Amino acid sequence: MTTLLKPYLHVGLRITCRSTFYPPALLKSAYSSWVETIREELYRGSMAEKHEGEKQNGEGKEMKYADVGINLTDPTYQGFYNHHTTPSHPADLPSVLSRAAAIGVRKFMVTGSDLPHSQQAIDLAKQYPGRCYATVGVHPCAANSFEEEDEGGGEALLEKLETVAREGVRGGWVVAFGEIGVDFDRLGLVGREVQERWFGRQVEVAVKLQLPLFLHSRAAHESFLRILNPHLPSLPLRGLVHSFTGTLPEMQELVALGFHIGINGCSLKTAENLAVVQAVPLAHLQLETDGPWCEIRPSHAGFKVLAAAGEEEEEEEEGDGGRWKKVKKEKWEDGRMVKGRNEPCEIWKVARVVAGVKGVGVEEVVEWAWRNSVGMFGLGGEVEEAESR
């Protein structure tokens, strides 16, 4: 281990020796980066030794996933598509959860995108205790609901969110405040000022409840941080910037502030996306699917990584590594996945792409992500277990 860390110790000495020549802020950033690198290398070394021991003992290790961005309240899991009032097939959420369990998904953090969906997410957490947990919040593309609230206006809706979240925390069902943020790619849905105003007010509620944040940022990095920064001293757990598609400098700034980066299929579309993912520190990375959206498609750069590793997008037979045949929704049958509808059981693909672009083992990626998700969101009180691994 000493040999492994020797290059990093030399870096630390250079930082110390040159401290009189650099501004304090730059030194702090460099030192934090150095410490994070050592932490990853130490853990990587211990994992390699542990996995080698398991191999020698003939013991295989089941990978554990937490899908920390999954929209299980979406109508597609009830058989409804494209706002149609007639279902294309029976509700199949139990089958969706069963497939996920078969590949090792132990925890689901169900996204609340407005007040009704937040309440539905909590209902799922009650229905599947110990497996499903909820977030509470209003998505930036739904922020007009604050302006349209009939009784008491936006502040009344904010109070309802706080009440629902507080009761959910007390019951052990709510683990994060979100999905909140700003999205300037879709200003046609909600104007900039409305998004910014209610993002800030929701962060204030999260501070009151001391909940980590489940965050959304699209083409709005400067505004996003301007609103968040004043609250950081009161948000020790920070939060997860989910479905990250931003630039390398944006990711680095978020990590330097203590945020984690959520990776799903939308984070793996282009070569530029993959370069960002490659640079995300494992200690700040979490995995998600954002189902029913954000699947990895053949046109995506991430798909090429899967193909290069010999992984196929469409598996014809059930049971091959936890993959199932996909059919059109009109030809749905129990036990099959629906084409174009992403599910938590596809999280293994995200993990394999991340491992491929980083050049590390998939087990390492999955274990880091599990530790990070449980450490930030709790997800049933398994922090000690995760940290002791």
Side-chain angles (χ1 to χ4, degrees):
M1 193 65 72
T2 303
T3 303
L4 176 69
L5 293 178
K6 192 175 291 183
Y8 303 106
L9 296 175
H10 289 168
V11 171
L13 287 172
R14 287 201 298 273
I15 292 173
T16 304
C17 293
R18 297 179 183 182
S19 62
T20 56
F21 301 106
Y22 293 104
L26 182 59
L27 279 169
K28 183 178 180 182
S29 175
Y31 180 75
S32 298
S33 176
W34 172 63
V35 170
E36 203 66 72
T37 302
I38 286 182
R39 181 186 171 203
E40 285 195 16
E41 290 297 339
L42 282 169
Y43 183 66
R44 182 172 296 168
S46 67
M47 276 192 62
E49 291 170 4
K50 180 172 62 174
H51 290 160
E52 184 60 32
E54 286 166 359
K55 262 189 216 174
Q56 292 172 359
N57 294 329
E59 298 175 2
K61 188 143 194 183
E62 178 192 1
M63 287 188 282
K64 295 193 300 187
Y65 295 91
D67 188 347
V68 292
I70 176 64
N71 303 279
L72 292 179
T73 64
D74 190 80
T76 58
Y77 298 121
Q78 301 300 317
F80 294 90
Y81 296 80
N82 303 318
H83 306 289
H84 290 174
T85 56
T86 302
S88 297
H89 59 76
D92 62 345
L93 182 58
S95 294
V96 169
L97 296 179
S98 177
R99 283 189 285 272
I103 65 102
V105 183
R106 301 276 191 89
K107 306 291 181 179
F108 307 86
M109 196 164 83
V110 185
T111 306
S113 55
D114 57 21
L115 181 57
H117 279 97
S118 297
Q119 292 171 323
Q120 290 170 28
I122 292 172
D123 289 341
L124 280 177
K126 294 177 181 178
Q127 186 178 351
Y128 297 97
R131 297 177 67 195
C132 290
Y133 298 86
T135 76
V136 171
V138 175
H139 191 284
C141 293
N144 276 338
S145 59
F146 287 103
E147 306 291 310
E148 297 165 357
E149 181 71 10
D150 292 331
E151 297 181 11
E155 291 299 324
L157 176 55
L158 199 67
E159 288 179 13
K160 292 176 186 176
L161 285 169
E162 181 177 344
T163 299
V164 167
R166 190 181 299 278
E167 292 175 355
V169 169
R170 191 177 298 121
W173 309 303
V174 172
V175 295
F177 205 92
E179 180 177 355
I180 62 175
V182 278
D183 188 327
F184 294 168
D185 273 343
R186 290 179 275 188
L187 290 174
L189 294 175
V190 181
R192 181 186 302 250
E193 291 183 5
V194 171
Q195 289 191 36
E196 291 180 336
R197 176 164 60 254
W198 295 110
F199 175 36
R201 295 291 285 117
Q202 290 186 90
V203 173
E204 291 172 10
V205 173
V207 168
K208 275 190 197 178
L209 301 175
Q210 282 298 286
L211 280 171
L213 303 175
F214 185 69
L215 294 160
H216 178 108
S217 178
R218 287 286 184 277
H221 183 72
E222 183 179 343
S223 171
F224 182 71
L225 285 187
R226 175 172 49 79
I227 293 168
L228 280 174
N229 278 337
H231 301 286
L232 295 186
S234 304
L235 287 169
L237 291 174
R238 298 294 195 266
L240 177 73
V241 185
H242 116 99
S243 192
F244 189 78
T245 59
T247 66
L248 180 60
E250 289 171 354
M251 180 276 289
Q252 291 171 329
E253 187 171 9
L254 289 166
V255 166
L257 290 171
F259 289 99
H260 285 198
I261 306 298
I263 304 299
N264 60 39
C266 288
S267 312
L268 307 170
K269 288 184 177 181
T270 68
E272 291 77 12
N273 292 154
L274 297 188
V276 173
V277 170
Q278 183 182 40
V280 176
L282 286 171
H284 288 261
L285 183 144
Q286 297 189 41
L287 299 175
E288 53 174 286
T289 60
D290 204 26
W293 310 291
C294 290
E295 65 180 344
I296 300 176
R297 298 182 178 178
S299 60
H300 295 173
F303 180 84
K304 296 177 177 62
V305 177
L306 286 175
E311 305 285 2
E312 299 296 333
E313 172 70 8
E314 300 287 353
E315 293 293 337
E316 292 302 320
E317 298 298 330
E318 184 175 343
D320 182 4
R323 288 156 275 180
W324 291 261
K325 182 179 179 182
K326 296 178 181 179
V327 297
K328 293 181 179 179
K329 61 182 182 295
E330 295 82 8
K331 296 183 178 181
W332 177 92
E333 56 182 284
D334 194 25
R336 301 302 187 190
M337 295 176 66
V338 177
K339 285 186 177 180
R341 185 187 71 173
N342 198 12
E343 293 188 14
C345 69
E346 298 278 68
I347 199 169
W348 68 269
K349 294 182 179 179
V350 179
R352 278 160 173 74
V353 175
V354 172
V357 299
K358 281 185 163 293
V360 300
V362 67
E363 295 87 356
E364 184 175 356
V365 169
V366 172
E367 188 153 357
W368 267 108
W370 172 266
R371 287 163 53 91
N372 296 338
S373 297
V374 171
M376 177 173 286
F377 298 114
L379 302 177
E382 296 185 17
V383 177
E384 292 181 359
E385 175 191 347
E387 291 182 346
S388 66
R389 292 168 63 84

